[in-house]
Every structure is written in structure tokens, then in C-alpha cells.
Amino acid sequence: MPYLGNEETVKELRRALSNPNIQCDQLRYRNTVLRVIRSMSQGVDVSGLFSEMVKACATVDIVQKKLVYVFLCSYAAVNPELSLLVINTLRKDCQDPNPMVRSLALRNMTNLRLPSLVEYVEQPLTAGLRDRAACVRRVAVLGWAKLHHLQPDSEIDAVVVNELYSLLRDPDPVVMVNCLRALEEILKEEGGVAINKPITHHLLNRLKECDLWGQCEVLRFLQRYRPKSEDELFDILSLLDASLVSPHPPVMAATLSLFLSLCSGVPSVSLAALERVRGPLLAACGSGSREMKFAALCHIQLLLRSIPGLLGAHYKRFFCGYAEPAYIKQRKMQVLVELVNDDNVGMLLDELKGYCTDVNPDTAQTAISAIAVVQTMRDLIWVCPQCSDTVCSSLEGCEETLQDSQGRQALLWLLGVYGERISSAPYTLEGFIDEVKSEISPGVKMELLTAAVRLFLCRPAETQDMLGRLLHYCIEEEADMCVRDQALLYYRLLLCGLDQTRRVLQARRSDPSLGVFIGRPAEPVGQWARSFNTLEPLKDGAVETEPASRGSPEHKKTSTPANTSLCVFFLQGCEGAREEEDCVWVEECIECPTVPHCSPQSLQAAMQLVNIQALAFTPPQALPWRVYLYTHARRGTARRSLVLGELLYTGAACRLGDGRAEDEQTEATAAGRAEGEDGERRGIKVTLRLQPRDETCLRGFLSVLTTVLNTLTEHSD
């Protein structure tokens, strides 16, 4: 905002600009104009000097012209009528024998940005496209783009568009690149500049003549072209080969992005291209620019999704430097986790342990999460139960070294599930219970409740007193409602008897037929190729701070869009599936109208206790209220069964269809349900689908689900 109260300064400058003695002295006149620009930059409102500055532009001094043009372009919108006075001078300068003066006049003629002056600008711009000086043609090409931006509703003459297309073959590479940019802006509504085979090969042959950013622009535009044959494809790739290993990271990234776009149907060529950019990417990681280094690390993570071992031999290049900022250290640690193998695991663990004491708490937490020994034990024992004895014997005393909430949750899960095999489990658990008031993580408290109840079922004498203290604190004193709700759920579950509690909490823990997953499977390049050389890797990578393999099935968070689509497809999109021989459906109405008012966290926690995974929720209080869920079931040595379900509450009576198991109706599973006429029952409509067919298993699952919903209803009451 201009400073007020500077009238004297403006008056003094006006007198100086109007002084004939100063106007006759070129140096003094230039210094006076410079004083005007300096005052303008300091916030002084010098718009009243517009007329004097228009007169000052009629000079042969190029430096003074530049200064005056800066002033005129800044205040043209404030004085549109007076701006007409400068047009004649600018048009005259467009005829000057000096190409620098001609280009300067053209540039500032378009920088005035006044719609009323468009008719005066078109003719000089058209002449500028044919100027003998390359610097004038560069300005004229971009001037047409500015003119279109000034009046987007007006159409540029087709003659001008054809002239711009012809200038793609201009001997000056900057003019060529500027034509691409201008045509892209002018033809935006028509899809941008058209790239055909002759233009493609012309641009490729002249790629080396362009500067760094010109090459990036050309490579970006070439992604629109699709070769007509395999021979043409490989001809193009041969021309791009040198740019693929360019020492300049922007050119290398743009070339690789073009490679991946052209070779989307030839995965072997895409993988070979990823192998070739290993050297330039490693060089970019050692760049002196922090921004360049961070961008290179983010894109390396993309490449490792398709070739996990691409940089395994160069893991030392990702060790953190002392003076590096925290965001680079954290990204390097994420890359190091992806590069772990049998040969370097010892050295990487030693390196990560050193980062655990970093002065930055976020960096230290990232290092702890990268190591995650206890979490790894939990994951291993979930998918590979035969390792449980070895894992249990390694847990003695590890609670003293845990520093993060996720590690404590993993240890508590192991103590609860395998507490009968760990001699010190009650004493370790008692230490957590004694410190529960100082625990700040609700997740740790909820896991502690589950572990205490599970351990009570197998070692009641040692656990009864501490469980009572824990339940009393969580119900009477705990402020977090999710923790309090879970404590009440367990309390009411225990009131139902130990057999019922054991049935809920000691269900099947894992599938012994599952193997151990080592690392992350390679992804097709096409899954991430579109995001390469964009800002997306920088944005997405910051969200995920742990490897994708972390987390056991009991601790997974639900993702709404994809999982909802999957369940809707099975439950609603396949109505004909009810007639399949290897599939059984059931519909039931359960009277528990208060459940839709429960928080998603409470409902999800209750479901997870019986190994039911909630895929997606609608918000509480919303109508219709829906929950999609799934689980796996096994009976004896039979193959695994998939159960998909939907809970639906509309606020009105639910009408049951005829989708029952065979011809028999499922027995009522909740007492006190009100049944009306025409098969209507008030409550939540439960729709279940099990494949392969197993009616007994489906009825058992429905019974467990009904118990959970009724328990939640009693708690709400």
C-alpha cells in the first residue's frame, strides 16, 4: 500500500522531470527517473507523474527506456486514458534499427495489459513474428499468448496460428519452444498444440539445441504423441537415449517420464529405462540443493515400488548427514527400509539405532518406527504362528526399551494373545497398568484393556486384581470416550460369563496356511508412471511414514472409497449371485436402534475383538446409516470362507426379502424384537453373503455379530 503524506516528494520529482536543464543532461535525466522508480519501490504513490514519465520515454538511452517502461506498466491500469499517449512512442520504437529496442518496445506494449490497446498491438506483433532478429521473434511469439490471455473470448486469427506453427522450424531454439508455449495457451479450448509425426521428429532432432528448461518443455509436449508402429517407437527411444542419462536431473526426469509414457505397452523396456537412470538419480541425491535432493529421494521411492532391489548395492548413499534437515533425514530412512536385505541388515540396523537419539523428535521417531522390532514380531507371529515360541522367548525385558506408542501396542497385543507362554506377562502388564494414568495414547490404553482381559482368561489368579483396577480407572476416571466405551464393553462382556467372554476374545488368531511375506511385491510401472516428474510423489510420500508391510490384520485402518466399492459390488451389484450354488445369503433384522449413534471408533473396536474388519462407515446420526464389513472363516480342514456383510438402518421398519439360507428362516437372535405385519421388523437390517456355501458357519457368524450389536445396545442404554 502506498505511503501517504509524500506530496512534497512527488512535487520535487515533478519539478525535476519538467526542468529543461535536467532534460538536456542525459545522465541527470536518467538519475531523476531512477529516483522516481526508487520512490515507487518504497511505497510512495507516484502515479501523478504519469504524464512526465510518458515524455521521458522519448529518448535514445536504453537504460532510461527500461526504467520508464517499468513505471508505465505498473501504473497503466490506474491511468488507462493517459496510456494511449505512450502507444505512439512504442510503435515508433518497434521500427527502431536496434533489435534490443524493438524487442523492448514489443514486450512492454503487451505488458500494459489494457484491452483498449489491443487494436494498436496486433500489427506490431504480426510484424515481429517475421523480424530478422531472433530476440524480437521470441518476444512477439509470447506477446500473442499474452494478448489471448488478455481477451480469452476473442479468437486469434488463423493466419497467426499458422504463422506460429511455421515458427516451430525457426532456426532459433528459444523461438521454437516459445511457439509451443504460445500455441498451448491459444489453443487450450481445442486441446492445446497438435503434435504429429513430422513435428515430433523435428523436435527430437533439435532437442540438444535447446537450453535446460527448453528440453523439459519439449519432452513434456512429446508425451501427447503415440508412435504408429514398433519401429517408429524404437527410433524415438534411440533419439532419447542420450537425454535419459543426462547429468541434469530435470532433463533426466522429463525423459524418463516420456519413456514410461511411450512404453506403457512394453514393460520390459520401461524396466530397462529405470535401470539406466540409477546413476543420475544417485547423483541427484548428492546434489548441493536440498530441494533437488528431496525431490530425487521422493522419486526413488516410486522406482523402488517396481524394482525393489534397484539401489540395494548403494544403500550407503542414503545414510543421513549430520547437517541435513529433518525432512531429508526422514525420507532417507524410508528409503533405507526399502533397501534392507540379508547382506546389509546388520549395518542398516546399526545406522538406524544411531538416528534414534537425534535431537529432532520427529527424526528420532521415524528411526524408531523404521526399526520396529516388536511390531515386526507381532506381524511375524500373525502370519506365521509356528514362530510364536521363538518370539515369546525374546520378549523378556523389552518393555524397557520401547519409546513409541505403536511399539507398546504391539507388545501388549503379544502379551494378551500369548500370555500363557510368557512367564513374566502378568508382571509386565501390571507395570503398564500402574502407569496408565500417565499414558497419553488412547490406542495403548485400548490395547492394554484387551490384553488384560485376554490374560485374565488364561491366568485369572495373577491378573484378577490388576484387571479390576484397570477397569475401575477406565470407567470412572478416563476422559477419552473410546477407552471408556471399550472398558464398559469388556465389563458387560465379563458379566455374561467367562465362557461367553472366551468365545469372543479367544477366536481364531491367524491362518496357519499363510506364509511369511518378505518385503513388498513389485508393482507394475503403470500404477505410478503418470505421477512421475510431478509434485505428487513429494505430496504423497510425506503421509506414509512406515513401510507398507507394517501392521497386522487386527490393527489395520479401514479405507473408505475402494473398500466400499468392493463390498457394494459383492452385496448389491451381483443380485444374480443369490442363485449361485457355491454361495449362501441371509438377511436378518436385529433390534438395536442405538448402534447407529455409536462412534465409529467404538463400533470398529468391538468388531475387531471378534476378528470382524469394518470396511467403511457412514457418519453417526446419518440416514440411511450403513456399515460394510468382512471376515474369513474356517471349519476344520475345509477351505477358507469369505463373509461379506452390510448393516443398514433407515430409521423405519426394515423389510426382509426372501434371501434366506435354503428354504428355512434364520431363527431370531435378539430378544425383544418387535415384528410387524408383512415381514417387517424394526431395527438394523443385516445382509450377509458367504462363499463357499456353509450354512452352519454363516449362522454362527450371525450369532457372534448379533452378540456384539446387542452388547453395544446395552451399553448405549
Side-chain angles (χ1 to χ4, degrees):
M1 177 179 292
Y3 292 115
L4 301 178
N6 293 282
E7 292 84 359
E8 293 300 324
T9 302
V10 175
K11 289 180 181 179
E12 180 186 352
L13 290 172
R14 179 179 287 110
R15 285 194 297 267
L17 289 171
S18 303
N19 190 333
N21 296 326
I22 293 178
Q23 292 176 356
C24 293
D25 189 333
Q26 183 174 329
L27 183 59
R28 291 179 64 189
Y29 202 12
R30 181 201 296 178
N31 288 336
T32 303
V33 172
L34 184 60
R35 287 175 55 197
V36 174
I37 301 301
R38 185 181 295 116
S39 299
M40 182 181 70
S41 65
Q42 292 174 351
V44 178
D45 183 8
V46 291
S47 59
L49 302 176
F50 199 87
S51 299
E52 287 76 10
M53 293 295 284
V54 169
K55 297 176 184 178
C57 73
T59 178
V60 295
D61 185 0
I62 296 181
V63 176
Q64 182 173 322
K65 278 183 179 292
K66 290 183 178 180
L67 293 172
V68 173
Y69 288 155
V70 169
F71 176 92
L72 296 178
C73 292
S74 300
Y75 288 107
V78 182
N79 301 276
E81 293 82 7
L82 293 177
S83 299
L84 289 171
L85 300 175
V86 79
I87 284 294
N88 288 332
T89 303
L90 290 173
R91 289 173 65 93
K92 181 180 177 182
D93 286 346
C94 289
Q95 307 297 325
D96 195 275
N98 188 339
M100 185 176 297
V101 174
R102 297 200 301 271
S103 64
L104 185 64
L106 271 181
R107 177 181 293 110
N108 289 278
M109 195 179 292
T110 54
N111 285 346
L112 291 175
R113 302 186 184 278
L114 293 175
S116 59
L117 303 181
V118 170
E119 57 181 315
Y120 303 102
V121 179
E122 290 181 345
Q123 190 275 330
L125 285 179
T126 304
L129 295 177
R130 305 181 181 94
D131 197 280
R132 61 185 180 276
C135 61
V136 180
R137 297 197 300 274
R138 297 174 184 178
V139 174
V141 168
L142 293 180
W144 280 107
K146 294 178 183 178
L147 211 62
H148 177 74
H149 184 72
L150 188 62
Q151 291 185 326
D153 296 333
S154 63
E155 293 185 3
I156 301 293
D157 191 355
V159 176
V160 175
V161 175
N162 292 334
E163 187 78 21
L164 291 173
Y165 268 112
S166 65
L167 284 175
L168 289 175
R169 298 187 178 275
D170 192 276
D172 184 71
V174 178
V175 174
M176 178 185 72
V177 176
N178 285 357
C179 282
L180 289 172
R181 295 167 175 160
L183 287 169
E184 181 70 12
E185 180 72 20
I186 294 171
L187 303 175
K188 183 183 297 183
E189 294 184 359
E190 302 175 21
V193 59
I195 304 295
N196 54 25
K197 182 176 179 179
I199 292 178
T200 297
H201 286 270
H202 170 72
L203 294 176
L204 287 171
N205 289 324
R206 298 195 56 191
L207 187 63
K208 295 181 181 179
E209 302 176 20
C210 302
D211 59 11
L212 180 63
W213 297 111
Q215 292 183 48
C216 295
E217 285 288 295
V218 170
L219 292 167
R220 181 174 64 88
F221 282 111
L222 287 176
Q223 293 191 25
R224 299 181 181 179
Y225 180 69
R226 286 294 174 267
K228 300 300 186 294
S229 65
E230 187 173 322
D231 292 339
E232 184 185 359
L233 169 63
F234 284 100
D235 288 342
I236 293 176
L237 297 182
S238 298
L239 292 172
L240 292 171
D241 191 67
S243 300
L244 190 62
V245 291
S246 171
H248 304 292
V251 177
M252 177 273 298
T255 307
L256 180 57
S257 181
L258 178 56
F259 252 84
L260 300 179
S261 175
L262 294 174
C263 302
S264 56
V266 192
S268 59
V269 178
S270 298
L271 294 176
L274 298 183
E275 294 279 358
R276 294 209 57 197
V277 299
R278 173 168 38 198
L281 278 174
L282 288 172
C285 288
S287 170
S289 168
R290 293 179 174 181
E291 292 78 10
M292 183 70 72
K293 186 182 298 185
F294 181 75
L297 290 170
C298 294
H299 283 79
I300 282 175
Q301 288 184 286
L302 276 184
L303 269 63
L304 292 177
R305 289 166 57 178
S306 294
I307 310 181
L310 178 65
L311 302 171
H314 305 277
Y315 64 93
K316 291 185 179 179
R317 301 287 293 270
F318 301 98
F319 284 178
C320 300
Y322 177 79
E324 288 179 332
Y327 62 89
I328 290 182
K329 289 182 179 180
Q330 294 166 23
R331 192 54 59 103
K332 280 189 171 182
M333 282 186 271
Q334 294 176 24
V335 174
L336 285 174
V337 172
E338 300 289 342
L339 300 180
V340 174
N341 56 41
D342 293 339
D343 298 328
N344 60 28
V345 60
M347 184 172 292
L348 287 181
L349 279 175
D350 291 338
E351 186 71 17
L352 289 171
K353 283 192 291 185
Y355 305 150
C356 292
T357 56
D358 193 274
V359 293
N360 185 290
D362 293 334
T363 303
Q365 182 62 44
T366 303
I368 294 170
S369 300
I371 297 174
V373 176
V374 179
Q375 291 171 255
T376 304
M377 289 182 176
R378 179 197 64 194
D379 300 345
L380 175 64
I381 206 171
W382 176 267
V383 300
C384 189
Q386 57 267 33
C387 302
S388 56
D389 292 336
T390 304
V391 171
C392 291
S393 63
S394 305
L395 291 177
E396 300 286 346
C398 70
E399 69 277 1
E400 300 176 0
T401 61
L402 295 176
Q403 302 181 28
D404 65 320
S405 60
Q406 293 183 357
R408 294 196 295 274
Q409 285 180 254
L411 175 61
L412 290 170
W413 184 86
L414 290 168
L415 292 176
V417 176
Y418 294 96
E420 72 278 6
R421 305 188 192 180
I422 305 172
S423 58
S424 62
Y427 311 104
T428 303
L429 207 62
E430 188 171 17
F432 280 99
I433 293 175
D434 292 340
E435 301 293 333
V436 69
K437 293 184 179 180
S438 60
E439 177 60 57
I440 61 175
S441 170
V444 173
K445 294 179 181 179
M446 296 171 72
E447 196 66 63
L448 180 60
L449 280 166
T450 304
V453 176
R454 280 176 168 169
L455 195 60
F456 171 73
L457 296 177
C458 60
R459 302 172 73 168
E462 301 168 275
T463 317
Q464 181 176 359
D465 179 67
M466 66 178 76
L467 176 60
R469 288 190 283 117
L470 178 62
L471 288 174
H472 180 271
Y473 168 78
C474 292
I475 295 174
E476 300 294 338
E477 302 180 36
E478 176 60 43
D480 189 278
M481 293 306 298
C482 293
V483 178
R484 182 175 178 272
D485 287 351
Q486 185 162 331
L488 285 169
L489 175 66
Y490 287 145
Y491 177 74
R492 289 182 169 88
L493 187 60
L494 289 169
L495 291 179
C496 296
L498 290 181
D499 291 339
Q500 186 70 8
T501 306
R502 190 173 286 109
R503 181 182 177 188
V504 172
L505 287 181
Q506 292 186 344
R508 179 182 60 82
R509 297 164 183 165
S510 62
D511 186 353
S513 65
L514 293 175
V516 181
F517 300 124
I518 301 176
R520 179 168 54 187
E523 298 180 13
V525 177
Q527 289 190 5
W528 53 265
R530 290 182 178 272
S531 62
F532 190 84
N533 199 30
T534 67
L535 293 177
E536 189 173 339
L538 283 67
K539 177 178 59 177
D540 292 347
V543 178
E544 183 182 0
T545 58
E546 297 186 12
S549 59
R550 299 278 178 221
S552 66
E554 287 195 5
H555 299 78
K556 293 288 187 183
K557 293 184 178 179
T558 59
S559 58
T560 302
N563 290 333
T564 303
S565 301
L566 176 65
C567 208
V568 169
F569 172 77
F570 277 108
L571 290 173
Q572 298 178 351
C574 299
E575 293 297 332
R578 294 176 182 251
E579 308 300 330
E580 295 179 1
E581 295 182 358
D582 197 29
C583 170
V584 60
W585 287 77
V586 66
E587 288 182 349
E588 186 59 75
C589 187
I590 303 175
E591 187 188 6
C592 44
T594 59
V595 170
H597 303 290
C598 295
S599 67
Q601 293 84 357
S602 299
L603 183 58
Q604 186 174 10
M607 295 288 186
Q608 286 181 345
L609 291 176
V610 290
N611 291 335
I612 300 175
Q613 302 300 320
L615 288 168
F617 305 88
T618 52
Q621 316 294 337
L623 290 177
W625 177 84
R626 281 189 172 90
V627 175
Y628 295 107
L629 48 90
Y630 82 97
T631 190
H632 291 283
R634 177 189 292 273
R635 291 185 60 83
T637 59
R639 53 180 174 157
R640 301 173 70 215
S641 301
L642 173 65
V643 182
L644 293 169
E646 178 194 45
L647 308 183
L648 173 63
Y649 179 74
T650 61
C654 59
R655 181 183 295 274
L656 299 178
D658 56 359
R660 299 299 183 98
E662 287 294 331
D663 297 328
E664 62 182 24
Q665 300 291 327
T666 305
E667 296 181 1
T669 54
R673 292 181 297 187
E675 183 173 355
E677 297 179 358
D678 301 326
E680 291 186 350
R681 295 174 181 172
R682 298 189 178 276
I684 293 179
K685 179 182 177 182
V686 180
T687 305
L688 301 175
R689 176 182 184 270
L690 182 141
Q691 187 178 11
R693 189 183 194 89
D694 190 336
E695 298 167 18
T696 304
C697 180
L698 187 61
R699 284 196 295 270
F701 174 77
L702 180 60
S703 176
V704 173
L705 180 62
T706 303
T707 302
V708 173
L709 296 178
N710 286 336
T711 304
L712 286 170
T713 300
E714 293 172 4
H715 161 59
S716 301
D717 295 338

